[in-house]
Amino acid sequence: NIDCEEGIPGFSVGMPFVVSLIAPFLMGKVNMGKPQKMMIEKLINQTPVLGVLAGQNTKVGWVYAGRGFMRVALNFATVGFSTSIFAAPVEFDEMAAKIKELTGARQRPLVFFRVGVPKGAFAPGPRRALEKNIV
């Protein structure tokens, strides 16, 4: 049973509509690594600006990186640009090391993102009701 209020629907990340309908059922049955890698590579190659925030690989470091990205994203938004995070590349040590080497970062990359003007509008993803988030 898939809770439709959890996760990111495929249509909100540019996945074709039909694929977005069947993707949740395939996730546990099919290795999506290769298609996801191809999709990320295509996006990277089409992106005018890529950004990396690096820091200490600690809980506090990740919080600071998230807060830093929030500021970066809000500043870009005020001048009409959109940002989008690539989570997978910094979550895996091998990929993070490659980004570190390519960018010359002194610390581990914690946030890898793109900046640009979207070609079209995507439908917003569903949101949980406020009452379901209050502890």
Side-chain angles (χ1 to χ4, degrees), residues 52-57 96 99-100 103-110:
V52 176
L53 298 178
Q56 293 180 351
N57 189 19
I99 293 169
K100 181 178 178 181
T103 62
R106 285 185 249 143
Q107 293 182 308
R108 180 195 172 95
L110 301 176

Side-chain angles (χ1 to χ4, degrees), residues 5-6 29 50-51 64 67 103 114 132:
E5 294 181 355
E6 297 296 326
K29 298 168 180 52
L50 295 169
Y64 280 129
R67 290 172 66 190
T103 62
R114 61 192 181 121
K132 290 187 176 185

Side-chain angles (χ1 to χ4, degrees), residues 8-87:
I8 301 172
F11 65 81
S12 70
V13 293
M15 194 179 286
F17 179 72
V18 175
V19 176
S20 75
L21 292 176
I22 61 172
F25 302 102
L26 295 177
M27 294 305 249
K29 298 168 180 52
V30 177
N31 182 350
M32 299 298 288
K34 190 171 184 176
Q36 184 179 12
K37 181 182 178 215
M38 289 170 43
M39 184 180 81
I40 289 172
E41 286 175 349
K42 181 179 176 184
L43 287 172
I44 288 171
N45 290 327
Q46 295 175 346
T47 298
V49 177
L50 295 169
V52 176
L53 298 178
Q56 293 180 351
N57 189 19
T58 63
K59 289 178 183 178
V60 171
W62 282 91
V63 169
Y64 280 129
R67 290 172 66 190
F69 175 72
M70 176 189 67
R71 288 185 193 101
V72 168
L74 288 172
N75 280 304
F76 274 116
T78 63
V79 292
F81 290 96
S82 293
T83 55
S84 178
I85 290 179
F86 291 115

Side-chain angles (χ1 to χ4, degrees), residues 52 62 86-93 95-96 99 108-112:
V52 176
W62 282 91
F86 291 115
V90 295
E91 289 178 359
F92 299 101
D93 292 338
M95 294 172 85
I99 293 169
R108 180 195 172 95
L110 301 176
V111 180
F112 181 45

